[in-house]
Amino acid sequence: MKAIHLWFSQGQVFAATRESKERNVMSKIAGIIAEYNPFHRGHQYQLEETRRQTGADYIIVVMSGNFVQRGEPALFEKSLRVQMALLGGADLVLELPAPFASGSAEDFASGAISLLNGLGCVDYLSFGSESGRLAPLREAAAILASEPAMFSDTLKKQLSNGVPYPKAQAAALTSCKISQESLTLLKEPNNLLATEYLKAIIRQKSPLQPIAIRRLGCGYHELQTEHIQNFASASGLRSVLLQEQETARRKTQEIPWQVSHSTLSQIPKDLHPIYQAGQLFPIRPDDISLLFHYQLLTCMERGIPLREFSDISSELEGRLKRQAFLFQPFSQRIQALKTKQYTYTRISRALLHMTLNIRQEDMDFYRRKGYCSYARILGFWRRSSPLFSHIKKQSTIPVIAKASDAPKKLSEKGRKLWNQDCYCSHIYQAILQQAYPNQITAAGPFLTNEYSRPLVIL
C-alpha cells in the first residue's frame, strides 16, 4: 500500500473512529525499541514473533531518528525507515530523540524505556537476544541496576588501569559472583543491549514485562541468503547496499541503482517497491567529515573545551587537539584515535556528539529529569485509531503529532529536548542535500524540515 503523507492535528490523530467507540479497550500492547538501519527480514520476524508470543493487539515501535547508537548518521532518512517499519508490521512509530538515540547503551535504553513508560498503556517490551533466555540476562541486569560496592570498586579500578569498559564491566560482574552463563551471554551485542533494557526497567520501576525473542541470523557483518532462517544483520545489509551503490556510481555516474536479487532477498517483499523506485539516498559516516572538522576548528578558535561535549574525556580531548589541523574523513579520524581503552564505536559516538553539539551538561539534565519528556509520532496505520484513543487516556507525557503543537504542550525540559532533536535532524537534512544536490528536489516529502514534516500514514 502506498504511503499517504498528511498533516494531522493532535485532536484529529486521537479522534476515535466509530469502530473504536464500539470496541472494548484493547488488552495488550507491546513495545519494541529499534533503529531499523535498515529494516530487514529479521526485524519482520521479531514483530511477528512478538505478536504471536504476546497476543498483542498493537505494537508500538520507538525508533531512532536520523542518528543511531553506533555514533553515525542513519543509512536512510527517518521518514523512509518509518514507512519500512509500518509495512513490516508495526502499528505506530514514535521517535527516540537524538541525544538518546546516539548515546551509550545505557542512555539509549533508558531514554526509550522512559518513553514507553510515559505512554501508560504498554504491557510488554520485546527485544532480540542471541539466547532468547531471560533468566541470565536478568541476573546481570540486577547487579548493573543496583551497582553494589564490590561492582563499583572493581569497575573503577579496572578503568583506572586502562582496561576497556566492556572488559572492566565483565571483571566487575565476576567480582559479584555472577554465573558463567550470564557472563558469556554479555559478550554478544544484542544480549548486552537487552541487559540495559532490563536494567532500565528495574531502575525506573517500570511495569513493562520483558519478552526475549531469540535472534535467528548469521554473523554480525554477514549477508546470508541460503536459508530462510538465516537473516542478514543490519550491519551486513548496510555494507552491501553501500557497495552496490558505489559500484553503480562508478559505472554509470547515476545515483539510483539496481539493488541486487540477493540483497532484496533479505528485505521483506512489501518493502521491495521502495528499493525498486530509485528513491534511495543512503548516507555514509564519512558524509559528516566536513561538518565535524568545522566544529573542531571552531572550538579550537573560540577556546571551547572539547570535554564539554558528551562522551569526550580529557584524554580524548588532548589527542583530538593534536590532530585538529589535519583534515581526515570521519572514519579515518576515528581509526587514528582508536586505542585499547577506546573502541571505535565509543569514539564515533563522542565525535558525533561534538558534531551535533550534544554536551555533557545536556545529557546530565535529561537524566535528572527522567529522560524522555514527550512522545513524538512519526507514523501509523489508519486502522490503529483505537490505539490513539487509548494512549490519549493513559499517557502521562505529551504526545506530539504536529510540530506547531510542541511549544505549547511541552514543559521547559521538553522544549529543550525537542529543540535539540530538531537541530540534529536539520543537520542530517544538510548532509543529505550536500550528498545528493541534483536529486534532492525530486525526492518528495521525505526530504523536509522538522517543522513541516508530514506524518507517514498508511
Side-chain angles (χ1 to χ4, degrees), residues 96 169 182 197 219 250 320 370 387 391 450:
L96 181 63
Q169 185 185 74
S182 296
Y197 294 147
R250 286 198 302 266
L320 267 170
L387 175 62
I391 291 175
E450 291 304 290

Side-chain angles (χ1 to χ4, degrees), residues 293 296 300 306 314-328 333 336-337 339 342:
H293 193 65
L296 177 59
M300 294 285 289
L306 305 186
S314 296
E315 180 187 354
L316 185 56
E317 176 183 39
R319 298 174 64 215
L320 267 170
K321 284 183 174 179
R322 288 192 290 273
Q323 301 178 12
F325 303 115
L326 174 64
F327 176 79
Q328 294 175 297
R333 190 181 293 273
L337 294 167
T339 64
Y342 293 105

Side-chain angles (χ1 to χ4, degrees), residues 155-377:
L155 182 65
K156 184 177 180 180
K157 182 178 180 180
Q158 292 285 317
L159 292 174
S160 65
N161 291 333
V163 177
Y165 187 85
K167 291 185 178 180
Q169 185 185 74
L173 288 169
T174 301
S175 72
C176 296
K177 311 299 182 184
I178 193 173
S179 68
Q180 187 58 46
E181 180 184 10
S182 296
L183 199 60
T184 300
L185 288 179
L186 288 181
K187 294 179 180 179
E188 299 291 344
N190 285 317
N191 286 336
L192 186 61
L193 190 54
T195 303
E196 289 295 337
Y197 294 147
L198 296 172
K199 184 177 81 174
I201 287 174
I202 294 171
R203 286 186 170 177
Q204 297 180 28
K205 297 180 174 58
S206 171
L208 291 171
Q209 179 179 336
I211 303 292
I213 306 295
R214 185 164 181 255
R215 183 179 181 273
L216 302 178
C218 50
Y220 186 68
H221 296 290
E222 296 175 10
L223 185 72
Q224 174 64 267
T225 60
E226 294 178 357
H227 193 277
I228 191 170
Q229 296 293 359
N230 286 331
F231 301 138
S233 68
S235 176
L237 193 54
R238 285 196 304 275
S239 177
V240 171
L241 285 168
L242 290 174
Q243 288 174 11
E244 289 182 353
Q245 186 205 35
E246 186 59 31
T247 299
R249 181 181 281 173
R250 286 198 302 266
K251 288 182 178 179
T252 66
Q253 299 298 311
E254 293 182 3
I255 298 299
W257 79 98
Q258 187 68 38
V259 178
S260 70
H261 175 74
S262 62
T263 302
L264 281 175
S265 71
Q266 289 297 329
I267 297 165
K269 290 184 178 179
D270 286 344
L271 274 62
H272 286 192
I274 296 175
Y275 280 82
Q276 295 167 334
Q279 294 293 301
L280 296 178
F281 300 94
I283 294 297
R284 293 168 163 76
D286 283 349
D287 287 333
I288 68 174
S289 302
L290 190 58
L291 278 173
F292 171 78
H293 193 65
Y294 170 79
Q295 177 75 309
L296 177 59
L297 292 178
T298 299
C299 290
M300 294 285 289
E301 192 273 334
R302 296 180 180 176
I304 299 172
L306 305 186
R307 59 186 177 276
E308 289 187 2
F309 297 98
S310 180
D311 285 333
I312 295 186
S313 64
S314 296
E315 180 187 354
L316 185 56
E317 176 183 39
R319 298 174 64 215
L320 267 170
K321 284 183 174 179
R322 288 192 290 273
Q323 301 178 12
F325 303 115
L326 174 64
F327 176 79
Q328 294 175 297
F330 192 71
S331 57
Q332 289 184 24
R333 190 181 293 273
I334 296 170
Q335 287 290 356
L337 294 167
K338 185 175 175 293
T339 64
K340 289 183 179 180
Q341 185 176 7
Y342 293 105
T343 64
Y344 184 99
T345 302
R346 166 73 169 73
I347 296 172
S348 184
R349 278 199 300 270
L351 302 194
L352 179 63
H353 291 160
M354 189 170 163
T355 307
L356 300 179
N357 199 32
I358 297 175
R359 301 185 179 236
Q360 190 60 52
E361 64 178 2
D362 297 328
M363 296 305 299
D364 291 341
F365 176 82
Y366 300 140
R367 293 176 190 128
R368 288 196 308 270
K369 298 297 183 179
Y371 291 92
C372 273
S373 48
Y374 65 86
R376 183 185 189 181
I377 297 175

Side-chain angles (χ1 to χ4, degrees), residues 440-455:
I440 204 73
T441 56
F446 289 136
L447 307 181
T448 183
N449 69 68
E450 291 304 290
Y451 307 118
S452 61
R453 175 183 297 279
L455 296 174

